[in-house]
Each structure stands twice: as C-alpha cells, then as structure tokens.
Amino acid sequence: MTKPYVVMTDSACDMPTALEKSSGVHILNFGITVDGQAFTEREDFTFDEYYEILRNCQGIPTTAHITQPRFVQAFEAHAAAGVKQLLYVSINAGGSATHSAALMAKQQFLQENPACGMEIFIVDSHTYSMAYGWFVAAAAEKLAAGTPMEEVVAWLQDTFARVEIILGAYSLRFMKKSGRISAAAAFAGELLGLRPIISLNDGQSVVQQKVRGDKDVLPALLQHAATHRTAPAPYLVGGTDDDKMRALCALCTEAFGAPPSATFQLGAAVATNTGPDAIAIVYLGEERAR
C-alpha cells in the first residue's frame, strides 16, 4: 500500500544508512568532482573512503547542486505512485542552489500537473549534516504516527531556528583552501599548533576560539555546547575518527547526564571545508530570529 506522504532530503544530511532505511526517507545524492573525476555521494564511496580522497587530492572538491529537472523527475515519480503530500528538507539555502532548484521544480511540476492532487512542502534547514538529517528522520516518524503535515513543517521550522553545531578541526590546511580562514592565519596557526573551534549556525561559520594542541579540542567543544545547549534537548556527536568520537561521547555523557541520541560521520559537505580530521556536537540552543 502506498503511503499518503513521502519525505525527501539530500545527501548533505549525512544520515547513516541504517537510519535512512528505517525512516524511509528518500535521499537525493549530490555529485562531487575531485581533481577532475566525478563521483556520486553515498554511491561511489563510503564516508571513510571520502576522507582518504580528501587526504590525497590536489585541489578542493566541488559539489554540483541538485538540479530542477532532477527534482521534477522525483516529484513525478512520487505522484505516479499515489503520494498525496511530499515534504522536502534541503541543505542550507545560503550555501547551495539546491533549495531554489527545488522551489522552481515545485512551480514547474504543479503547472504541468494541475490535477495531480499532490501537495509539495519545501523547508530550508538553514544548516548542514545531521543537524538536519536527524530531524528529517524524526519528521518522517511523526508523519508515520499520524501527525498532520502542517504541524510537522512548523515543528521543523522551529527546530531549525534552534539547532547549532560546534566543530573542531585538527588541521587548517582545508580551511585555508576553502577560504574559511585566511592563508596568513592558517600559516600562523599551523606553526603555533592552534586548532579552531567553530560555530556553524544558520550556515554562518564563526571561529569562537583557538586552542593550542589536539588535547584541548574536545574540552573546548564540550564547554561551548554546555554553555549554549538548552537541556534536556537531544544532542548528537559527529566526526571523522571513531576514537575521538568515543572520547567526546564519554565527556558529553558525564557532563550532560545522558549519552548522545546518535553518532554520525561527517559527510562531504562539511568535511570538504573542514578537512578529513574534524569532530562536532549538534545540539539545540535558544531560538534565533529569522
């Protein structure tokens, strides 16, 4: 029996495969070009394989946004399957043309199929990685439990006005290449052994502090999250290294009195800019004005 609704997102959500399957979320994958070679995220490499690609590539990988025709094709397929309500949650609109492509595809699809009867809801996550992937899966769970689509959309918008990421990068090389920090600052930072602690809210990256040496990265992340987190809201731990994630989970569990709701690997959208050696906490803070 066809579900009356479907939930879609894109591969920058970094949703673990097991969660993708259990939630039934339809993920559209980004194309990525590395040193002239084309790949499709989540199809041509695992997270760990992508970290190795980053360590060995000469230039900064580029991501091609999901195009209007791809969205129209997806909308047509779901409408043909009998879907009555479609929810798509996008990567931060300020960092990708994907969101605007989805909006244009919605307009085109409805113009070309005025009698199809399928409603399309498009939500800008204003963020990256599992800072929206986790909540997209939760939205699918709410819909499965019978929550009306309009309530789920309102819940997502409220959540994305509160979700925050605090991230630590163990190398400045990729941040220098991507322009996140200046070349001069990167050079000085490498010489001094500095590690940036970066907040990523509403798509804006801000260096909150720089700590000296690897050992101070996890405590600094924990301190920032503890100061800004709204307890007892859920939190997540993500990264590119299992040992570092386990250590951060242990620190957070002791400090917050509960383990993270989930752990995840950072995908291409984040790792391309931070490098293959990074770790983060996702949590809910105070509501921000749009």
Side-chain angles (χ1 to χ4, degrees), residues 254-287:
E254 181 178 1
F256 300 154
S261 297
T263 60
F264 64 96
Q265 289 183 283
L266 296 173
V270 174
T272 296
N273 290 288
T274 63
D277 300 294
I279 192 162
I281 306 174
V282 174
Y283 57 91
L284 295 180
E286 297 295 334
E287 183 176 359

Side-chain angles (χ1 to χ4, degrees), residues 28 65-76 101-102 104-105 108:
L28 295 177
H65 77 273
I66 298 170
T67 63
Q68 181 176 339
R70 282 187 65 193
F71 278 113
V72 171
Q73 184 179 37
F75 296 164
E76 289 174 342
M104 290 186 291
Q108 177 186 341

Side-chain angles (χ1 to χ4, degrees), residues 11 35 47 103 120 165 181 184 197 203 207 260 286:
S11 58
D35 293 340
F47 290 104
L103 291 174
I120 300 174
I165 304 172
I181 56 176
I197 304 300
V207 177
E286 297 295 334

Side-chain angles (χ1 to χ4, degrees), residues 7-289:
V7 178
M8 292 174 52
T9 189
D10 47 66
S11 58
C13 70
D14 296 344
M15 192 182 296
T17 301
L19 184 58
E20 175 189 359
K21 291 179 178 178
S22 65
S23 65
V25 172
H26 175 194
I27 298 178
L28 295 177
N29 298 325
F30 282 104
I32 298 176
T33 301
V34 185
D35 293 340
Q37 184 174 357
F39 299 92
T40 300
E41 192 174 15
R42 299 178 78 93
E43 293 180 11
D44 293 336
F45 50 73
T46 65
F47 290 104
D48 289 326
E49 287 169 344
Y50 187 67
Y51 304 151
E52 285 305 306
I53 289 172
L54 286 177
R55 290 186 177 99
N56 295 307
C57 67
Q58 298 302 307
I60 289 291
T62 57
T63 302
H65 77 273
I66 298 170
T67 63
Q68 181 176 339
R70 282 187 65 193
F71 278 113
V72 171
Q73 184 179 37
F75 296 164
E76 289 174 342
H78 287 303
V83 171
K84 297 304 180 185
Q85 291 186 313
L86 183 150
L87 169 64
Y88 168 65
V89 183
S90 77
I91 183 176
N92 168 43
S96 172
T98 297
H99 180 78
S100 60
L103 291 174
M104 290 186 291
K106 172 184 175 179
Q107 182 179 28
Q108 177 186 341
F109 172 80
L110 294 177
Q111 287 175 345
E112 294 175 353
N113 302 274
C116 76
M118 185 175 76
E119 294 181 281
I120 300 174
F121 301 80
I122 298 177
V123 176
D124 177 7
S125 73
H126 297 277
T127 190
Y128 301 97
S129 192
M130 275 279 274
Y132 70 102
W134 176 258
F135 299 104
V136 171
E141 183 177 342
K142 287 178 179 291
L143 289 168
T147 306
M149 178 66 77
E150 290 78 7
E151 289 186 24
V152 171
V153 169
W155 173 78
L156 283 170
Q157 291 171 334
D158 173 71
T159 298
F160 293 142
R162 298 173 56 208
V163 71
E164 301 183 11
I165 304 172
I166 188 69
L167 179 144
Y170 288 89
S171 171
L172 298 178
R173 182 169 71 93
F174 275 81
M175 302 197 78
K176 170 185 173 183
K177 282 186 176 182
S178 66
R180 296 292 180 184
I181 56 176
S182 71
F187 179 71
E190 292 285 10
L191 287 178
L192 296 172
L194 298 180
R195 306 288 182 257
I197 304 300
I198 303 159
S199 63
L200 190 58
N201 304 330
D202 291 334
Q204 300 298 313
S205 58
V206 177
V207 177
Q208 296 292 335
Q209 66 178 115
K210 295 179 182 179
V211 298
R212 190 180 296 274
D214 293 353
K215 64 181 178 61
D216 290 333
V217 171
L218 302 188
L221 293 176
L222 175 62
Q223 181 182 26
H224 184 95
T227 302
H228 293 81
R229 173 175 173 258
T230 303
Y235 72 96
L236 314 171
V237 169
T240 59
D241 180 271
D242 289 341
D243 290 338
K244 290 185 176 69
M245 282 198 287
R246 279 192 289 269
L248 184 55
C249 285
L251 289 174
C252 289
T253 299
E254 181 178 1
F256 300 154
S261 297
T263 60
F264 64 96
Q265 289 183 283
L266 296 173
V270 174
T272 296
N273 290 288
T274 63
D277 300 294
I279 192 162
I281 306 174
V282 174
Y283 57 91
L284 295 180
E286 297 295 334
E287 183 176 359
R288 298 181 300 277

